[in-house]
Amino acid sequence: MAFTAKSRAYKHRVLLESSSDDVDFSSRNSSLAPTEYLFKILVIGELGTGKTSIIKRYVHKFFSQHYRATIGVDFALKSLEWDSNTVIRLQLWDIAGQERFGNMTRVYYKDALGAFVVFDVTRPATFEAVAKWKQDLDAKVSLEDGSPIPCVLLANKCDETKEGMVNSIAKMDEFCKENMFTAWYETSAKENVHIDDAAKTLVTQILKYTAQYKPTYLKSKGQIILNNTPNETQKGCSC
């Protein structure tokens, strides 16, 4: 099916965030060196759902029809100038689709602060596996307060004919609420649809979490310290 202007007009669905809660660090003293965050982000889902393509599009602004299946885990880095005083570096972990059945996911998930779960809108079986990926994720990694890490669901390949529940916005909203997804987006790595939007939503949610820990800014290095108690000092980023 051709990707039409009408399908481009589809608005992404944000379920558990409010724009009034956005974290704004731009008011921080501009004389300080930019604050740098490093966030580990997982990209998980069934084999062939387009995880690698999404990462390539987001990081390198590039798309190819020809990717070899990821074996184990691959990595990519993305740097964001969030505002004039904040630099965010994302370490994207591209987890192979078959890894949910292996014993290494606990190691791969360790210290992650956010995740994308990806399914292919043309293959309903990949959506059926989403809940299991989310359950596996929640069982193996959590925030310091024990709550699930922010997780955004990506309904990928939306430039093609969609099958299954993804055709019902109401049902998708309900599914995401039941499974505690922060948001869901229809995405296309090929057409570059909603990938930047989804990443911005996920990073915003992570920043809300890190803001709880009253970050201390290092004037000399511009790095972030995440501490519950302001009197404790620790170099670098706890993630």
Side-chain angles (χ1 to χ4, degrees), residues 36-224:
E36 294 187 7
Y37 290 87
L38 176 63
F39 296 153
K40 177 179 175 180
I41 307 294
L42 306 175
V43 184
I44 59 179
E46 292 294 279
L47 184 68
T49 53
K51 299 184 296 296
T52 301
S53 294
I54 287 171
I55 292 172
K56 293 290 187 184
R57 171 62 77 180
Y58 181 55
V59 175
H60 303 295
K61 308 299 182 184
F62 174 78
F63 175 79
S64 172
Q65 297 279 11
H66 308 290
Y67 286 122
R68 293 182 179 179
T70 301
I71 299 174
V73 63
D74 203 355
F75 309 92
L77 294 173
K78 173 77 170 181
S79 182
L80 303 173
E81 292 186 6
W82 194 254
D83 57 42
S84 59
N85 296 310
T86 310
V87 174
I88 298 173
R89 304 191 192 282
L90 303 180
Q91 187 182 69
L92 298 160
W93 285 51
D94 182 1
I95 311 295
Q98 62 269 32
E99 286 298 320
R100 182 168 59 85
F101 305 103
N103 298 318
M104 289 297 293
T105 51
R106 191 176 298 275
V107 175
Y108 296 153
Y109 293 175
K110 181 177 173 59
D111 296 326
L113 290 177
F116 293 111
V117 177
V118 184
F119 73 97
D120 179 346
V121 300
T122 72
R123 296 160 55 207
T126 65
F127 175 74
E128 293 169 6
V130 163
K132 294 179 180 178
W133 278 100
K134 184 63 163 60
Q135 291 165 8
D136 187 60
L137 178 72
D138 292 345
K140 293 176 179 176
V141 64
S142 62
L143 300 177
E144 290 188 11
D145 62 4
S147 60
I149 65 173
C151 187
V152 173
L153 178 62
L154 303 184
N156 197 37
K157 305 185 184 181
C158 69
D159 54 292
E160 301 182 26
T161 303
K162 297 181 291 184
E163 297 184 18
M165 189 187 292
V166 71
N167 285 294
S168 170
I169 292 175
K171 289 181 179 180
M172 286 295 296
D173 284 353
E174 185 63 28
F175 173 85
C176 289
K177 289 178 182 178
E178 290 177 355
N179 289 276
M180 300 183 67
F181 282 97
T182 300
W184 74 277
Y185 288 79
E186 288 187 349
T187 60
S188 169
K190 182 179 181 180
E191 299 289 341
N192 195 21
V193 176
H194 291 325
I195 293 174
D196 287 349
D197 295 334
K200 183 177 180 180
T201 294
L202 184 60
V203 171
T204 298
Q205 290 296 318
I206 296 171
L207 283 170
K208 290 178 186 177
Y209 162 69
T210 57
Q212 297 179 59
Y213 291 86
K214 300 177 181 179
T216 301
Y217 302 98
L218 299 182
K219 185 173 182 179
S220 60
K221 296 184 179 180
Q223 294 176 313
I224 198 72

Side-chain angles (χ1 to χ4, degrees), residues 15-26:
L15 303 177
L16 301 179
E17 73 164 6
S18 167
S19 58
S20 63
D21 295 330
D22 286 353
V23 180
D24 181 11
F25 296 101
S26 60

